[in-house]
Amino acid sequence: MLRRFSNSRTFQDNLRLGVFTALIAGMVNVASLVLFYSFTSNLTGHFAILAQEIADGKWFQMLVVLFWIVLFFSGSFLSNNLIINSTRKNAFVSHSIPMVLEIGCFIFVGIYGQFFYAETLTQTEILVAVLLFSMGLQNGLTASISNFQVKTTHLTGLTTDLAIHLSLLTKKKYRMNAQVVEKTKLMAAIMSAYLAGGVFSGLIIQSVHFQVFYFISAAMLGVLTYDFVKTYVPFYVNKKKHDMILKTRLEKIQSTLKNTAKKNGVLESK
Amino acid sequence: MKRKLVLSACLVVITLSSFGYYVFSHSDYPEVAIVGEWREVSWVYDRNNLDEKVKQEIGSDERVDIANHLVIHEFENWTFRKDYSIKLHERSGKEHFAKWRLKDRGRILTLLNDDETVEVYSVESLKKNELVLHFDTDVHARGIVKITLKKIK
């Protein structure tokens, strides 16, 4: 899911990445809406609120919204920076760092919410800021490694693009185009996953509250482990096989050399 | 090159942290401003009927109709305390205690009653001496009710 980069990714890679991250985004957004009365996976509303706060002259409220936007921006910036500075050798590691940071954010929100949260305004705003940073990380990661094919928190753009692609599919010419069909499938899957994540989160949040973030972290950790196994296990298995083959060949050469030396010794003594 | 990158990263982290510290050390303003005693001065629907030029005051009977699921219709005075408790009271001596919290940069006011029911109000405006709250009602077609409170002390 995370190993391949840009154009070397297959449709299946992007589909898996899109569905999984959209599920996470949907869950986080509904959880933050229920717990903090604030959206955390989308920024369009925050820009509108920022403009409104500026117009109303509420400077500190405006700064809070601006800080949230800056954190989302920083998350995406950091993700992409890690990816473009990675080499082919450490691609998995650098692609995983944003996800590890994201898991760290979720665990922090989960622990703080469960044990220390007194529902004050400042605490709420800080936790929303942490979640916005994590969503920025995720959006930056998915968009960057998929060559901008997958954007899981960008539902306005996604709905527009899906509508455009579905209208294209009304013509036979485009239905024959595998790229258009795949892109439509990908977008529909992301949208459904986002919705499913939101519904699931909405169903469990009243009984699990902040523990929903542990659940999300566990799921992400599971994906990271799966990807790690897929990346490194074949490498070590192949290395072992390769070493064995080398060893056998070396032994063969050594025994051949020994035999030749023996033969030569016998001939010389004769 | 690497040194430059590390320096830039440190600079960004320091700037962001300072910005965050400055913002959040001042962000409790709505929580400070709301503390005190407030008296209701009006209950009106946010939308008028076509023939109404002035917003019509909602009478006490109608208040019971549209807000019978909320505790606020029974009280006219609201005292927000620093410890996040609220006393709703009337001259007759009738009182109700709950906990209050502000969410979403002070735009949402929640009241948590002892029976664990939560009432959610939208803070339309919070000024030094005036607090305007909105709440949705599905009983009446006109929807949103606007409650205006004035600060007494």
Side-chain angles (χ1 to χ4, degrees):
Chain A
M1 202 186 285
L2 297 172
R3 285 166 297 154
R4 297 197 187 107
F5 178 60
S6 192
N7 293 329
S8 64
R9 292 180 70 84
T10 62
F11 168 65
Q12 286 301 326
D13 286 334
N14 284 342
L15 189 68
R16 265 185 247 135
L17 179 75
V19 167
F20 177 69
T21 48
L23 265 172
I24 300 290
M27 285 184 76
V28 170
N29 206 26
V30 170
S32 68
L33 188 63
V34 174
L35 297 167
F36 309 125
Y37 294 88
S38 204
F39 291 109
T40 47
S41 80
N42 49 313
L43 273 195
T44 319
H46 291 306
F47 271 101
I49 292 167
L50 177 70
Q52 192 198 342
E53 301 290 26
I54 293 170
D56 290 348
K58 292 180 184 166
W59 300 112
F60 284 113
Q61 272 100 322
M62 182 274 281
L63 282 178
V64 171
V65 185
L66 184 65
F67 185 67
W68 286 349
I69 293 170
V70 168
L71 273 191
F72 190 95
F73 176 90
S74 313
S76 295
F77 180 89
L78 180 65
S79 269
N80 191 58
N81 220 318
L82 285 165
I83 291 161
I84 57 172
N85 284 310
S86 68
T87 58
R88 212 180 147 80
K89 248 186 175 178
N90 65 8
F92 173 76
V93 177
S94 47
H95 292 183
S96 313
I97 292 172
M99 231 180 189
V100 172
L101 287 173
E102 202 184 337
I103 292 171
C105 290
F106 291 151
I107 290 176
F108 169 76
V109 174
I111 292 175
Y112 193 90
Q114 195 180 350
F115 300 108
F116 309 105
Y117 183 51
E119 292 191 54
T120 68
L121 197 56
T122 309
Q123 283 176 331
T124 307
E125 283 164 358
I126 291 172
L127 292 181
V128 168
V130 174
L131 287 179
L132 274 163
F133 177 68
S134 71
M135 285 293 101
L137 280 168
Q138 178 177 300
N139 224 20
L141 172 75
T142 52
S144 188
I145 63 172
S146 67
N147 201 17
F148 302 98
Q149 291 283 312
V150 180
K151 281 181 195 158
T152 47
T153 65
H154 194 61
L155 269 281
T156 319
L158 192 77
T159 311
T160 316
D161 291 353
L162 183 63
I164 291 168
H165 277 72
L166 282 174
S167 82
L168 286 178
L169 291 181
T170 56
K171 284 192 117 185
K172 197 180 175 186
K173 185 174 91 179
Y174 293 108
R175 283 199 297 274
M176 296 294 126
N177 186 331
Q179 243 183 341
V180 176
V181 175
E182 280 183 351
K183 178 91 183 174
T184 312
K185 278 183 191 168
L186 178 67
M187 287 189 295
I190 290 173
M191 199 180 272
S192 312
Y194 189 90
L195 193 65
V199 171
F200 180 63
S201 185
L203 288 172
I204 63 167
I205 194 83
Q206 293 301 345
S207 45
V208 298
H209 300 283
F210 280 93
Q211 289 164 47
V212 71
F213 292 105
Y214 303 146
F215 180 80
I216 295 169
S217 307
M220 291 179 77
L221 215 57
V223 167
L224 269 182
T225 315
Y226 170 82
D227 245 37
F228 177 82
V229 169
K230 279 276 219 181
T231 312
Y232 290 104
V233 168
F235 171 76
Y236 286 116
V237 170
N238 284 341
K239 192 172 179 287
K240 220 175 174 182
K241 267 187 193 170
H242 183 71
D243 288 350
M244 284 287 280
I245 293 166
L246 270 181
K247 207 177 167 187
T248 334
R249 278 185 189 165
L250 200 71
E251 279 169 2
K252 261 187 185 174
I253 293 167
Q254 279 173 342
S255 66
T256 322
L257 280 172
K258 260 184 192 174
N259 287 340
T260 325
K262 259 185 193 174
K263 271 182 192 172
N264 286 344
V266 171
L267 282 174
E268 272 173 18
S269 65
K270 274 183 182 175
Chain B
M1 183 68 190
K2 219 173 185 180
R3 210 174 142 192
K4 247 186 182 177
L5 202 75
V6 172
L7 268 172
S8 325
C10 288
L11 207 69
V12 169
V13 170
I14 290 167
T15 314
L16 263 181
S17 312
S18 318
F19 183 30
Y21 178 76
Y22 178 73
V23 168
F24 292 124
S25 58
H26 291 83
S27 72
D28 61 348
Y29 167 73
E31 283 187 338
V32 176
I34 206 169
V35 170
E37 191 175 342
W38 301 79
R39 175 172 292 159
E40 284 175 11
V41 288
S42 73
W43 273 55
V44 292
Y45 286 111
D46 201 43
R47 289 170 219 151
N48 276 6
N49 278 334
L50 270 176
D51 56 338
E52 294 166 353
K53 283 185 180 160
V54 181
K55 292 204 172 171
Q56 301 296 303
E57 183 72 20
I58 301 170
S60 54
D61 288 345
E62 205 176 347
R63 286 185 195 190
V64 177
D65 267 355
I66 59 173
N68 59 1
H69 58 297
L70 307 169
V71 292
I72 53 164
H73 72 271
E74 297 175 34
F75 305 95
E76 284 186 348
N77 294 307
W78 306 38
T79 307
F80 291 89
R81 293 170 174 159
K82 266 186 185 169
D83 63 355
Y84 299 103
S85 67
I86 179 170
K87 185 170 91 168
L88 297 158
H89 49 112
E90 270 204 341
R91 276 187 204 154
S92 60
K94 199 173 163 190
E95 287 177 345
H96 176 86
F97 289 93
K99 283 176 184 160
W100 66 271
R101 290 285 190 279
L102 284 175
K103 300 274 173 78
D104 194 22
R105 294 165 300 105
R107 295 191 322 142
I108 305 282
L109 169 70
T110 59
L111 298 187
L112 179 67
N113 297 310
D114 287 341
D115 60 357
E116 300 215 328
T117 53
V118 182
E119 297 176 13
V120 182
Y121 304 94
S122 164
V123 179
E124 194 51 28
S125 103
L126 172 58
K127 292 176 189 158
K128 206 177 170 188
N129 293 314
E130 191 189 65
L131 170 64
V132 180
L133 300 174
H134 276 183
F135 76 88
D136 269 316
T137 165
D138 43 27
V139 177
H140 206 283
R142 289 200 278 185
I144 298 165
V145 169
K146 182 176 166 186
I147 308 170
T148 309
L149 300 109
K150 291 275 177 213
K151 202 168 202 173
I152 307 170
K153 44 183 168 175

